[in-house]
C-alpha cells in the first residue's frame, strides 16, 4: 500500500535507474522498491515477497520487464501492483483487488503507481514533480521531489489513521557505481518523506566530508 515512482534515464551512453516509495506503514524500503543495473521495480499490495527480486533477475537474464510483469499478474496478481522500467520496456499492473484508490501512470522511461491513495491526483503530482522540478539536480533529488509532490497532493489516505510511515529511495548507474547516499531508507517516522530528504542531505554532507578528510 504505497505511492512510488520508477525511472530510467540516459547516462554516459547507457542508462541509470531509480526508484522511490512511501507509505503509512513501517519499512517500505524492505519490500517495495527494487533497483539494479538492469532496471527498477516497485511492488505493492498483497504481493509475492520475492516478486521484485524475480523481476530484477529476469532483467539481468535479458528478459523484458513487461513479459515478466504479465506473468506475475497472470499468476494471481488481483491484489498486487507491479510497475517499473527496464532497458527496453516499461510495465504496469494494478490488480482489481488492490485497495482503493489504486492506479498507475506510464510515460517515456517513467512509471508511477499507488494503492490506498487519497485520489489519483497523487499519481499525476508525482509524475509532474519528477518531470518539471530541479531538472539540473541529481536523480535522487528529483525522486525525492516526486515523493514530496505526491505527499502534498494527499499521498496515502491513511495518514490520519496510522501514526507511523516510511520512505525509501535508491539509484543504480551501470558500470559507474553509486555513492552510499544514493540508497537510503527511513523505516519509521511520522513524517517519512521529509525525513528521507533530510537524511539524504545529511548523508551527502557526511560522505563528502569523509572523502575530503580521508580520501
Amino acid at each position: 500500500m504505497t505511492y512510488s515512482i520508477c525511472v530510467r534515464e540516459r547516462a554516459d551512453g547507457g542508462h541509470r535507474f531509480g526508484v522511490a516509495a512511501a507509505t503509512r506503514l513501517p519499512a517500505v524500503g524492505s519490500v517495495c522498491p527494487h533497483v539494479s543495473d538492469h532496471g527498477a521495480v516497485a511492488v505493492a499490495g498483497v504481493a509475492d515477497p520475492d516478486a521484485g527480486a524475480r523481476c530484477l533477475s529476469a532483467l539481468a537474464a535479458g528478459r523484458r520487464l513487461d513479459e515478466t510483469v504479465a506473468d506475475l499478474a497472470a499468476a494471481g496478481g488481483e491484489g498486487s501492483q507491479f510497475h517499473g522500467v527496464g532497458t527496453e520496456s516499461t510495465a504496469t499492473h494494478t490488480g482489481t483487488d488492490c485497495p482503493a484508490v489504486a492506479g498507475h501512470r506510464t510515460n517515456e522511461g517513467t512509471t508511477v503507481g499507488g494503492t490506498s491513495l487519497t485520489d489519483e491526483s497523487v499519481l499525476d503530482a508525482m509524475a509532474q514533480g519528477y518531470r518539471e522540478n530541479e531538472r539540473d539536480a541529481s536523480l535522487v533529488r528529483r525522486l525525492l521531489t516526486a515523493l514530496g509532490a505526491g505527499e502534498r497532493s494527499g499521498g496515502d489516505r491513511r495518514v490520519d489513521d496510522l501514526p507511523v510511515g516510511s520512505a525509501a529511495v535508491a539509484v543504480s548507474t551501470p558500470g559507474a557505481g553509486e555513492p552510499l547516499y544514493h540508497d537510503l531508507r527511513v523505516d519509521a517516522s511520522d513524517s517519512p518523506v521529509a525525513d528521507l530528504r533530510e537524511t539524504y542531505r545529511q548523508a551527502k554532507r557526511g560522505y563528502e566530508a569523509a572523502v575530503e578528510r580521508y580520501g
Side-chain angles (χ1 to χ4, degrees):
M1 301 177 188
T2 67
Y3 49 105
S4 52
I5 179 170
C6 296
V7 171
R8 176 186 67 232
E9 293 187 340
R10 288 284 180 185
D12 298 327
H15 293 96
R16 174 184 296 117
F17 300 99
V19 57
T23 187
R24 207 63 192 171
L25 290 169
V28 70
S30 68
V31 292
C32 174
H34 303 266
V35 67
S36 73
D37 287 356
H38 305 283
V41 178
V43 177
V46 184
D48 177 347
D50 297 322
R54 287 163 57 193
C55 286
L56 294 184
S57 293
L59 287 170
R63 195 165 189 231
R64 289 174 57 93
L65 182 61
D66 51 358
E67 297 172 348
T68 302
V69 167
D71 288 347
L72 290 170
E78 293 84 359
S80 301
Q81 181 178 76
F82 313 103
H83 70 89
V85 293
T87 302
E88 298 179 350
S89 67
T90 61
T92 54
H93 166 77
T94 300
T96 55
D97 292 339
C98 284
V101 172
H104 56 256
R105 301 283 189 270
T106 302
N107 295 299
E108 179 61 31
T110 308
T111 60
V112 175
T115 68
S116 291
L117 304 172
T118 53
D119 58 58
E120 291 201 16
S121 67
V122 176
L123 304 174
D124 300 320
M126 280 195 293
Q128 183 176 2
Y130 163 72
R131 288 195 311 267
E132 298 182 5
N133 295 302
E134 299 185 300
R135 293 309 302 171
D136 294 330
S138 66
L139 177 53
V140 169
R141 278 273 302 276
R142 285 179 284 122
L143 290 170
L144 293 174
T145 296
L147 281 188
E151 182 181 54
R152 288 190 298 275
S153 186
D156 191 317
R157 65 179 174 82
R158 302 162 301 169
V159 66
D160 293 329
D161 299 327
L162 297 175
V164 173
S166 57
V169 64
V171 168
S172 178
T173 303
E178 295 289 338
L180 298 177
Y181 56 84
H182 281 190
D183 186 356
L184 299 171
R185 290 167 47 174
V186 169
D187 282 339
S189 168
D190 61 0
S191 55
V193 175
D195 287 352
L196 184 61
R197 193 174 188 105
E198 176 63 12
T199 296
Y200 166 76
R201 188 184 73 81
Q202 294 281 15
K204 184 174 185 292
R205 183 171 71 93
Y207 183 86
E208 291 174 345
V211 169
E212 182 179 355
R213 177 64 177 85
Y214 298 108

